[in-house]
């Protein structure tokens, strides 16, 4: 009987302790917020202390499913990124900030209070800002060495902007991104055709994706035709002059298929920009390579006319 | 925030109108490469008389043609047996002198084929042209275009006439003209 009373008492004690732990965690979130917003402290001190407090607090079950806690955490991470890692294109803190802000949005999803509505707006604006930083890094680091980072940052940019506004018009950015990515793949391929063979196909797919999004995209049509054409010429130019005569035909077949693939895209590029010098040069080259001398001469004449008009 | 958005917009606008222009490779060089590869292969499948197997292996080009430079570059390290290649450029038919194993007549000089045939009579020179119908008019090999590809016609009578022996392999690959 006595033993039973002690057990009940112990249970109450444990429950009280658990409750006080919960309050302590909520306090930590408030404290983190307070320190984070204390402008009298140096940025490094307040952000670091706030980050430590919120990281500790979020492990507690009460905070783990609390929209406000994640919101605070997201904003602290965002601030940390902005203050200390703005130059880091692979910042883990920025990625975490996006996840925390999104988690908060998710937890506030069905909350109909005015506070929740205002918080959701702030969260979306913060995500938009982070999205802009991702896009900025996409543009800055887009080259043949860092293109993988650009791909990851672009995906994050899209993710953020579509959370900010599900109807956000991503299409023009998508077209630009794919076009530039295709260029990078094409350049990698051209830098070492034998070793980087797979990049030819990757560039081809990317240009075609742009054309699917925007049939009349001049850059994608022109560059895709050039990708095919240049590769065809390369195949012939890299042919060993000692190649057995019976194999010369195979090389010609391979190159001819590429020249034929190049033609419709160059023609479309001409339709989009009817008097573009580069398109005329391209078409002259394609027809010349296909031994269609009349058409090749026709474009040669067009080119000369452009030169005269200059 | 506004400043940042402005940067983004500027970058976007910049890239929207930006289309990289890749290097356009010279189609003349690739077409020349195919012809040069064919010419080089002809030396493997055609047998010249013994007295032609001494000294350099001469390929003459009639008239001024960029093909001269292409051929010189491509064949500079190659040989026919122990014979080194020598590429010569002849300004006209009269200037063709000495041993010439292969005489290439560019399309723009096709009209003077009868003069060339007169000049080369009795010599073992493989006359190569590149205009439709010339294999019937006296050249031994004539480059033609078929299905958007470079091919060649062979007039065996015109090779026999110049004491040149053509292998069956080359015959099989050629478009035969009589």
């Amino acid at each position: 009987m006595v033993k039973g009373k002690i057990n009940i008492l112990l249970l109450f004690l444990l429950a009280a302790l658990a409750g006080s732990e919960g309050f302590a965690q909520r306090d930590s979130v408030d404290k983190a917020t307070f320190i984070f917003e204390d402008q009298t402290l140096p940025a490094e001190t307040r952000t670091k202390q706030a980050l430590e407090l919120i990281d500790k607090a979020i492990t507690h079950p009460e905070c783990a499913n609390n929209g406000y806690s994640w919101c605070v955490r997201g904003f602290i991470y965002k601030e940390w990124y902005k203050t200390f890692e703005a130059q880091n294109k692979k910042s883990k803190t920025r990625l975490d900030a996006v996840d925390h802000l999104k988690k908060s949005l998710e937890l506030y999803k069905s909350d109909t209070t005015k506070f929740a509505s205002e918080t959701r707006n702030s969260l979306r604006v913060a995500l938009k800002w982070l999205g802009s930083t991702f896009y900025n890094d996409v543009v800055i680091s887009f080259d043949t060495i860092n293109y993988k980072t650009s791909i990851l940052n672009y995906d994050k940019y899209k993710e953020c902007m579509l959370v900010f506004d599900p109807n956000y018009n991503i299409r023009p950015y998508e077209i630009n991104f794919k076009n530039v990515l295709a260029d990078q793949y094409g350049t990698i391929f051209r830098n070492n055709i034998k070793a980087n063979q797979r990049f030819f196909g990757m560039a081809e797919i990317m240009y075609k994706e742009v054309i699917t999004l925007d049939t009349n995209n001049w850059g994608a049509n022109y560059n895709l035709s050039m990708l095919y054409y240049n590769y065809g010429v390369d195949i012939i130019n890299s042919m060993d002059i000692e190649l057995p005569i019976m194999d010369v035909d195979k090389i010609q077949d391979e190159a001819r298929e590429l020249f034929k693939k190049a033609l419709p895209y160059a023609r479309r590029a001409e339709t989009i920009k009817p008097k573009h010098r580069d398109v005329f040069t391209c078409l002259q080259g394609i027809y010349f390579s296909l031994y269609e001398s009349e058409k090749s001469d026709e474009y040669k004449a067009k080119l000369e006319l452009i030169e005269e008009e200059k | 925030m506004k400043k940042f958005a402005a940067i983004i917009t500027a970058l976007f606008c910049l890239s929207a109108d930006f289309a990289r222009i890749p290097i356009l490779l010279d189609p003349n060089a690739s077409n020349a490469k195919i012809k040069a590869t064919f010419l080089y292969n002809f030396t493997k499948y055609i047998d010249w008389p013994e007295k032609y197997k001494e000294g350099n292996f001469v390929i003459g080009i009639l008239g001024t043609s960029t093909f001269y430079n292409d051929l010189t570059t491509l064949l500079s390290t190659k040989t026919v047996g122990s014979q080194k290649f020598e590429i010569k450029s002849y300004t006209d038919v009269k200037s063709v002198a000495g041993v010439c194993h292969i005489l290439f007549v560019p399309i723009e000089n096709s009209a003077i084929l009868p003069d060339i045939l007169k000049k080369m009579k009795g010599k073992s020179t493989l006359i190569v042209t590149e205009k439709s119908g010339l294999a019937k008019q006296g050249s031994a090999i004539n480059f033609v275009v078929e299905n958007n590809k470079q091919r060649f016609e062979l007039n065996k009578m015109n090779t026999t006439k110049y004491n040149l022996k053509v292998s069956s392999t080359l015959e099989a690959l050629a478009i035969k003209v009589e």
Side-chain angles (χ1 to χ4, degrees), chain A residues 125 128-129 132-133 135-136 139-140 172-173 176 180 183-184 187 190 218-219 222-223 226 229-230 233-234 236-246 248-249 252-253 256 260 276 278 281-282 284-285 288-292, chain B residues 1 4-5 7-9 11-38 40-42 44-45 71 74-75 78 145-152 169-170 173:
Chain A
V125 171
K128 185 191 178 189
W129 185 88
S132 304
T133 68
Y135 192 80
N136 204 11
V139 178
I140 291 166
Y173 294 89
N176 267 341
V180 181
D183 287 347
Q184 302 311 317
T187 306
R190 293 220 56 76
W218 184 83
Y222 172 75
N223 286 336
M226 291 299 299
Y229 168 78
N230 279 340
V233 174
D234 267 321
I236 294 169
N237 286 350
S238 59
M239 173 175 70
D240 185 351
I241 198 163
E242 294 202 46
L243 191 77
I245 196 162
M246 46 287 277
V248 177
D249 212 38
Q252 288 201 83
D253 280 337
R256 181 187 58 182
K260 284 191 170 179
H276 200 289
D278 295 324
T281 310
C282 175
Q284 188 204 344
F288 189 87
S289 301
L290 285 168
Y291 298 99
E292 293 191 26
Chain B
M1 182 68 191
F4 203 75
I7 293 168
I8 297 304
T9 310
L11 288 168
F12 170 69
C13 291
L14 191 74
S15 57
D17 202 37
F18 172 75
R20 180 179 293 212
I21 311 293
I23 304 154
L24 185 76
L25 298 171
D26 181 12
N28 291 297
S30 55
N31 285 9
K33 180 81 180 272
I34 290 169
K35 279 186 187 141
T37 308
F38 275 130
Y40 179 68
N41 267 286
F42 296 158
K44 292 184 199 168
Y45 296 100
L71 216 50
L74 291 165
L75 297 177
K78 307 292 174 194
V145 171
E146 194 181 76
N147 293 328
N148 302 107
K149 288 192 295 183
Q150 189 75 75
R151 291 202 64 198
F152 61 93
T169 311
L170 190 67
L173 291 167

Side-chain angles (χ1 to χ4, degrees), chain B residues 116-136:
Chain B
I116 295 164
L117 295 174
K118 268 185 210 167
K119 175 84 181 181
M120 304 319 286
K121 203 173 181 181
K123 292 180 178 176
S124 289
T125 299
L126 180 78
I127 298 168
V128 180
T129 51
E130 58 174 351
K131 191 182 178 188
S132 175
L134 292 194
K136 283 185 179 172

Side-chain angles (χ1 to χ4, degrees), chain B residues 15-166:
Chain B
S15 57
D17 202 37
F18 172 75
R20 180 179 293 212
I21 311 293
I23 304 154
L24 185 76
L25 298 171
D26 181 12
N28 291 297
S30 55
N31 285 9
K33 180 81 180 272
I34 290 169
K35 279 186 187 141
T37 308
F38 275 130
L39 282 182
Y40 179 68
N41 267 286
F42 296 158
T43 69
K44 292 184 199 168
Y45 296 100
I46 294 173
D47 195 30
W48 273 260
E50 280 306 311
K51 62 177 183 178
Y52 280 77
K53 291 176 182 172
E54 289 168 358
N56 289 339
F57 191 97
V58 179
I59 298 180
I61 297 167
L62 201 64
T64 50
S65 166
T66 52
F67 193 45
Y68 169 81
N69 292 333
D70 295 321
L71 216 50
T72 305
T73 310
L74 291 165
L75 297 177
S76 62
T77 59
K78 307 292 174 194
T79 57
V80 181
S82 60
Q83 293 174 283
K84 284 182 182 172
F85 277 103
E86 185 181 351
I87 316 300
K88 286 184 174 177
S89 177
Y90 302 116
T91 48
D92 51 30
V93 186
K94 284 177 192 170
S95 61
V96 183
V99 172
C100 180
H101 295 80
I102 297 175
L103 182 64
F104 179 72
V105 185
I107 192 162
E108 57 271 22
N109 289 323
S110 300
I112 57 166
L113 183 63
D115 299 336
I116 295 164
L117 295 174
K118 268 185 210 167
K119 175 84 181 181
M120 304 319 286
K121 203 173 181 181
K123 292 180 178 176
S124 289
T125 299
L126 180 78
I127 298 168
V128 180
T129 51
E130 58 174 351
K131 191 182 178 188
S132 175
L134 292 194
K136 283 185 179 172
Q137 291 174 37
S139 71
I141 286 178
N142 185 40
F143 283 121
V144 288
V145 171
E146 194 181 76
N147 293 328
N148 302 107
K149 288 192 295 183
Q150 189 75 75
R151 291 202 64 198
F152 61 93
E153 296 173 334
L154 172 72
N155 188 328
K156 206 179 173 191
M157 266 178 62
N158 291 341
T159 56
T160 313
K161 211 186 280 179
Y162 292 89
N163 278 324
L164 301 167
K165 286 179 194 164
V166 179

Side-chain angles (χ1 to χ4, degrees), chain A residues 129-154:
Chain A
W129 185 88
L130 285 167
S132 304
T133 68
F134 282 117
Y135 192 80
N136 204 11
D137 285 349
V138 169
V139 178
I140 291 166
S141 63
F142 223 150
D143 56 35
T144 54
I145 296 158
N146 300 300
Y147 69 92
K148 282 182 184 172
T149 307
S150 285
I151 293 169
L152 293 174
N153 283 335
Y154 181 72

Side-chain angles (χ1 to χ4, degrees), chain A residues 39-230:
Chain A
Q39 299 297 323
T40 61
L41 290 170
E44 188 172 355
T45 311
R46 66 185 175 88
T47 316
K48 196 178 176 185
Q49 283 181 11
L51 197 133
E52 278 169 9
L53 279 166
I54 195 70
D55 274 357
K56 198 178 170 192
I58 210 79
T59 56
H60 191 270
E62 193 178 334
C63 295
N65 290 311
N66 176 271
Y68 179 71
S69 304
W70 285 100
C71 171
V72 170
R73 198 179 189 205
F75 273 93
I76 293 171
Y77 271 67
K78 174 179 163 276
E79 189 63 25
W80 181 275
Y81 161 75
K82 190 180 167 185
T83 312
F84 306 111
E85 296 183 18
Q87 302 305 315
N88 182 3
K89 292 169 189 69
K90 295 177 184 176
S91 167
K92 169 86 169 57
T93 313
R94 178 169 53 171
L95 296 173
D96 288 343
V98 171
D99 289 344
H100 302 337
L101 295 169
K102 278 179 69 186
K103 172 104 179 171
S104 178
L105 259 178
E106 182 61 30
L107 290 166
Y108 272 121
K109 195 168 70 179
S110 48
D111 194 330
T112 52
T113 63
K114 193 186 171 197
F115 175 77
S117 170
E118 284 171 355
T119 307
R120 280 197 295 268
N121 284 341
S122 302
L123 288 163
R124 287 196 187 99
V125 171
L127 280 165
K128 185 191 178 189
W129 185 88
L130 285 167
S132 304
T133 68
F134 282 117
Y135 192 80
N136 204 11
D137 285 349
V138 169
V139 178
I140 291 166
S141 63
F142 223 150
D143 56 35
T144 54
I145 296 158
N146 300 300
Y147 69 92
K148 282 182 184 172
T149 307
S150 285
I151 293 169
L152 293 174
N153 283 335
Y154 181 72
D155 285 343
K156 278 285 159 190
Y157 157 73
K158 265 203 308 190
E159 185 184 321
C160 289
M161 297 319 269
L162 291 172
V163 173
F164 165 69
D165 176 9
N167 298 317
Y168 185 75
N169 183 14
I170 206 87
R171 191 174 164 272
Y173 294 89
E174 195 82 346
I175 289 167
N176 267 341
F177 173 76
K178 286 177 187 289
N179 244 336
V180 181
L181 184 60
D183 287 347
Q184 302 311 317
Y185 287 154
T187 306
I188 295 170
F189 167 67
R190 293 220 56 76
N191 286 346
N192 192 339
I193 289 172
K194 275 187 185 171
N196 299 332
Q197 187 68 44
R198 69 193 174 98
F199 285 92
F200 171 80
M202 287 158 79
E204 183 185 26
I205 288 168
M206 210 44 70
Y207 282 131
K208 283 185 177 176
E209 282 185 16
V210 175
I211 293 166
T212 304
L213 285 167
D214 178 13
T215 314
N216 289 328
N217 188 285
W218 184 83
N221 278 288
Y222 172 75
N223 286 336
L224 181 57
S225 78
M226 291 299 299
L227 182 78
Y228 287 133
Y229 168 78
N230 279 340

